Amino acid sequence: MQFDATADTGATDAIRRHRIWQSPLLALLILVSGLSLSFMLASNAAQQARDRTQDRFQSTVQQTTRVIQEKIDRFSLLMMAGRGLILNNTSASSSEINTRWHRMFDSYQVDYADLGVVGLSFTRYIAPHERDAFVDDFNTHTKRTLNIFPPPADNQPSLAVLHLVPKDIEGRMLGYDLMGEERRRQAVLETMRTGQMVLSRPLSLLPTDINSLDYLQMLPVRTEDTAAGRFLGVVTIGFSMSLLINSSLEDLATPMRVQLVDTRESLTRPLFDTHPKLDQTIHPLMLTRVLKIGKHSLTLQVTSLDPAAAAAFQRRYDAAILTSGVSLTLMLTLVAMFFIITRQQALLLSRKMAARADEMHHRYKSLFAQSPEAIVVHVNGRVELANDHAARLFGCDSPTELYQRPITELIHPGSLELVERRRALLNQNSPLEPAEQRLVRIDGQPFMAEVSSSLINYQGQKGIQVVFRDISAEKLQRLEARIANILIEHGQDALMVTDNEGRIELVNPAFQRLTGYTAKNVIGRTPDLLNAGHHDSDFFYQLWNALKGSGLWRGDIINRSKEGRIYIQETDIHALRNENQEIIHFVCLMRDVTEQRNGFEQIYDQLADTEPPPFS
C-alpha cells in the first residue's frame, strides 16, 4: 500500500491552522489588539471632545467679550454726541439745551438698561465766585429748581449735573456736585488736566445693590482745543459694569462665571463676581480677556459652569466607545451622534451670537448716521464710509458721492503736512487730541474744522475714523465777541443792557463813571434806581410804547447819580428781537449832555431838595 505524500502534507497544515485558531495566543492577541484599539479610539475621542469643548468655550468667551466691548465702545460715541450738542449751543439757554439734550438722546432709541448705563449727563463747571449768581439765574429762568449738593466749600468750584438721561432720574440728580466725592473729584481733575476721556475708579451708583460695580466715564468740554479754551464742564456716562456683564450673559446656552479685576485697585482680587459664593479653585475651563475703556484696561476672568463641559474636559477616555468597543458600528454611530449634537449646539450658539452682533452693528450704523458730528472712515487713503452730516459739510447730496475719493482731495494743501504727522502718530498707537484743520468741499471751497481721528477695524482692514465739525462760524463768532468786548469795555458812551422786563443784565465801565453805580450794584435791578423824579408816568408810558412799536426811542432823560448829582442824559434805546420777532433785550446808550442843554439850572433847583431814591 502506498501513501499520498501530498495529501498527508495538506492535512497536517490544516490541523496546524485549526489549532492556531483555537490557541489562547490568538485570543490574547485579539484581546490585546481589541483592548488597545478600544483604548486608543476612546482616548482619541476624549481628546477631540476636550478640544471641541475648549473651542466652544473660547468662541463663547470671545463672542461675549466682543458684545461687552461693543457696548462700551458706544459710550464714546454717545459722549461725543453730547459734547457736540453743548458746543453747538453755547449761546442757548439752559432750558433750550435741556430740551435738545433729551430730544437728541431719545431719538437714538438706545436701550440704556442693556448697556448697563445708569445715566448720561452734562455737568456744568461753576467757579466759586459765580455759584450763587448761577443758581439764582438758573432758578429764575427755568422751571426746574437747582440746588447744588452736597454743599460745596466756599473756595471749591462745582461740577453740577444739569442735563441727564434717562429723564426719570434727572429730578433727583439735578445739581449733584461731582466735586463733592473724592473718586469723582479725582477723575474730574484728571480729565481737566489731560483733556481726554477718563474712567473713574470704582464707585457706587446703585447703593441698594450690594453686588454692583459702577464707574463714571468722563469727556471734557472746552470751547477750544487747547488748554486756553474755556472749560464748560464734562459729559459723563455712569454705568454699572455688573449690569452690563449680567445682561450680556442672559442669552448664553451654557452658564459662565465672570470675575472682573481692576488693576488700579488690586492686581488679583476681583472687584465683581457673578457667582460670589463659589470658591476660587482653578478650573480647567478658564480664560482671561481684557476690556479697553479709553486708555484704561479691565481684566475679565471667565470660567465655565457647565457640568457637562467640565466632565468632558476632565475625562481621559470616552466611556461609551470603551464599553462598546466590540461593536464598531455602534461605536461609529455614537461618535457620529455625539459629533452631530455638539456641532448643532455650536452652530446654534454661533447663530445667536451672530444675530446679536448683527443687531449691535445695525444700532451702530444708526448712531453713526444720526450723529450730530460729521464722520468719515477711510482705508488706504480712500473714503469707504461717511454719514449724512459729512456729506452736507462737503457739499454732497449723498454720502455715496464721497466714497472712493482720495482723502487728500478733501484736505486743504496747507493742512496736508499736519494730517500726515497725525496719521504717523496713529500708526504708532499714540493718542491724538482733536486738532483744527482746513478742509475742502467738493466745489473747492475751504472751511475750518475741528478733527478727531482714531484707528478702527473696518471689514478686516485697518482704517481711520475721522470725526469733525465745521467751526468756521464759531471762529468768526469768537473774533466778533472779542471785538465787541473791547468796544464795550473801552467805549466812551455808557451802556446798559436789560431783559424784556427791564431788569439790568450788563453795564460797562462808562456806566459807572456816569452814574456812580458799579455792575454789582445794579445787576438784576431796574433803571428806576436812576429816576430823579422829573418825568411823569405819561413820559415813560410813551417811551415804552415807542420801544414796543418801532423798537427805537431817542431823547433826553433827567436822572440822578448814586451820589445825588442831577444830570441830563442823552439816551438811545434799541429793542432786540429774536427770530419770532419777540423782544428779548433792550440796549441803552447814554451820554451826559448837561452842559449842552439850556435851562438846566431851573430843573436842578426844582430837584435839588428832593431825596434821592433809596439804595441797598
Side-chain angles (χ1 to χ4, degrees), residues 167-412:
K167 193 175 183 62
D168 56 355
I169 65 172
E170 186 179 62
R172 64 176 182 271
M173 292 303 296
L174 176 63
Y176 179 77
D177 189 356
L178 297 188
M179 304 295 281
E181 191 272 327
E182 181 62 22
R183 295 204 168 194
R184 291 173 172 83
R185 188 175 70 84
Q186 291 300 326
V188 169
L189 295 177
E190 182 178 356
T191 195
M192 291 175 63
R193 178 177 57 82
T194 63
Q196 300 177 358
M197 286 189 184
V198 168
L199 182 70
S200 72
R201 287 178 174 268
L203 44 79
S204 177
L205 296 176
L206 300 173
T208 59
D209 187 352
I210 61 173
N211 199 32
S212 177
L213 177 65
D214 307 325
Y215 289 92
L216 275 180
Q217 190 173 1
M218 301 181 178
L219 176 66
V221 181
R222 291 185 180 274
T223 56
E224 295 181 3
D225 298 330
T226 64
R230 185 163 64 94
F231 180 68
L232 300 181
V234 295
V235 176
T236 65
I237 281 189
F239 62 97
S240 170
M241 183 59 72
S242 52
L243 290 179
L244 179 58
I245 293 174
N246 286 329
S247 66
S248 301
L249 299 179
E250 289 177 353
D251 296 333
L252 296 181
T254 56
M256 292 195 305
R257 177 187 192 180
V258 178
Q259 297 171 294
L260 185 140
V261 176
D262 188 337
T263 55
R264 297 175 298 175
E265 300 292 314
S266 171
L267 294 177
T268 57
R269 184 177 62 84
L271 299 182
F272 170 73
D273 191 345
T274 56
H275 296 76
K277 295 183 179 180
L278 297 180
D279 56 28
Q280 298 294 328
T281 57
I282 298 177
H283 195 280
L285 288 175
M286 177 183 290
L287 292 174
T288 298
R289 291 291 183 266
V290 176
L291 294 176
K292 299 293 292 183
I293 306 180
K295 65 178 182 179
H296 302 286
S297 298
L298 301 177
T299 302
L300 295 182
Q301 296 175 350
V302 187
T303 305
S304 173
L305 297 181
D306 184 5
F313 197 83
Q314 294 175 347
R315 189 179 300 122
R316 307 310 304 168
Y317 298 98
D318 190 298
I321 295 178
L322 188 61
T323 56
S324 59
V326 294
S327 174
L328 181 60
T329 302
L330 181 58
M331 181 191 67
L332 293 176
T333 302
L334 293 175
V335 172
M337 290 300 297
F338 180 76
F339 176 81
I340 291 172
I341 292 173
T342 54
R343 179 64 175 171
Q344 288 296 325
Q345 290 178 342
L347 288 175
L348 180 60
L349 179 59
S350 177
R351 290 192 193 101
K352 288 184 177 180
M353 300 306 295
R356 290 180 64 85
D358 187 59
E359 180 185 358
M360 294 295 296
H361 175 69
H362 285 301
R363 290 184 180 179
Y364 170 79
K365 287 182 64 178
S366 175
L367 183 61
F368 180 90
Q370 298 177 17
S371 173
E373 302 277 5
I375 305 176
V376 168
V377 176
H378 61 90
V379 179
N380 297 326
R382 289 188 176 273
V383 177
E384 294 289 342
L385 193 63
N387 65 356
D388 291 335
H389 196 173
R392 289 193 297 271
L393 285 184
F394 282 116
C396 301
D397 294 330
S398 169
T400 56
E401 296 182 38
L402 294 173
Y403 294 172
Q404 296 308 311
R405 283 182 180 267
I407 193 66
T408 52
E409 291 185 3
L410 306 177
I411 301 172
H412 190 274

Side-chain angles (χ1 to χ4, degrees), residues 17 48 55 148 243 289 307 348 387 481 503 510 512 532 542:
R17 288 195 298 272
Q48 292 175 5
D55 290 344
I148 298 179
L243 290 179
R289 291 291 183 266
L348 180 60
N387 65 356
R503 288 187 293 270
Q512 181 178 354
Q542 293 179 11

